[in-house]
Amino acid sequence: MAANQEEVKLLGSVNSPFVCRVQIALKLKGIEYKFVEENLAIKSDELLKYNPVYKKVPVLVHNDKPISESLVILEYIDETWKQNPILPSDPYQRTLARFWSKFIDDKIVAASVKVIHTVNDVKERAKNVEESIEALRILENELKDKFFGGEEIGFVDIAAVFIAFWIPLIQDITGLQFFTAEKFPKLHKWSQEFLNHPIVKENIPPRDTLFAYFKAHYDSLIASK
Amino acid sequence: MAANQEEVKLLGSVNSPFVCRVQIALKLKGIEYKFVEENLAIKSDELLKYNPVYKKVPVLVHNDKPISESLVILEYIDETWKQNPILPSDPYQRTLARFWSKFIDDKIVAASVKVIHTVNDVKERAKNVEESIEALRILENELKDKFFGGEEIGFVDIAAVFIAFWIPLIQDITGLQFFTAEKFPKLHKWSQEFLNHPIVKENIPPRDTLFAYFKAHYDSLIASK
């Protein structure tokens, strides 16, 4: 299939930080794509066909070839469209980018999301907040430049969209302030710069809609106590 | 530093499937390295220096630059030493290799290891066995050739050393037979071919020693009931 006939489709959900990663990467590369909003309560036939293993978004479908798992998708995007690379060219720097992106998923996303779901368990919640803070502190010490990618945003910055946009949402919904400018001056400054980047700005979901969505979810968890 | 002065060191533990992955990859590439056995009960200063985030093995140290997380290390090895590639050259095939290796860690390793640790919880253990079987079944359906890498072993085969060598150990220790030739004919045949591969054979730890180690661990879990 010729380049100008490429079909790029993204099965996604506006609420998902993992989908947002893929949207930012595609836009950084200047790739046009069709966005298909999935209703995750009723999995579509297309989602079940393209991601039978996890049945989750995001799924990038490139010329009918499906790819799942957001960090795996980012690698594919960077290898397929070479313009505006998001991974460094040096093998060791590439390795560090992979390591820290995995760290964000394994340590920061995992613990912070649990802060919402442990609303009815004070002790467990305190543990998740503590784990989130500890992981954010480790990442704070890794930030040496304007962005993790240096002067331009790269792989780790894109993975960290969860920290810049979703963690403040979690804080506002739960009333717990664990990611603040006082505690994390460098990471907080980074998050402002990152959210103000033109490509990021236009690919971040509408805050009010997400707040309403997650607040409703949170309130239903409290009610189910 | 010139190529012939390269220093390659692996901090490891003979019990670890994640360390074994790195050993197989280095040997496939023909890279000489120094193996440093870590006692994980007493973390060495070197381990704390080179992997302050997770304090775990494996850590590959290449010319004093440390790399952690076994799948991240495999990517580094493949990018640094180009001979005998373990990832396919086609971007989509590379993506699939990354996807399935992550699947092995997230679904098969996670559930199978829990089978040991839930010895005192019949219900939870049955759930872990069931999850292991379900994940193995998905992988069984993905195996099309002699190896996941085709005619030669590649990234997914190396990641799957856990299935070939450690799952049978878990079975013998727990007396639970969930990965059998009857249930998984293709995957079982693959495991025999894989373990007989000359490079794999010489890098697999001694079975008797590992059996004794894990059995002692298992018995102490039962005793702590």
Side-chain angles (χ1 to χ4, degrees), chain A residues 60-79:
Chain A
L60 182 73
V61 188
H62 183 205
N63 296 335
D64 210 39
K65 296 193 301 277
I67 305 142
S68 310
E69 300 291 281
S70 67
L71 298 181
V72 175
I73 296 173
L74 293 191
E75 295 253 8
Y76 178 81
I77 289 173
D78 208 37
E79 289 189 343

Side-chain angles (χ1 to χ4, degrees), chain A residues 158-171:
Chain A
I158 296 171
V161 69
F162 178 84
I163 299 170
F165 187 77
W166 272 263
I167 285 190
L169 264 177
I170 292 174
Q171 297 193 128

Side-chain angles (χ1 to χ4, degrees), chain A residues 42-56:
Chain A
I42 315 154
K43 317 253 182 204
S44 73
D45 291 345
E46 201 172 29
L47 181 62
L48 297 176
K49 172 186 161 193
Y50 284 132
N51 189 2
V53 174
Y54 294 107
K55 306 171 183 73
K56 286 194 308 192

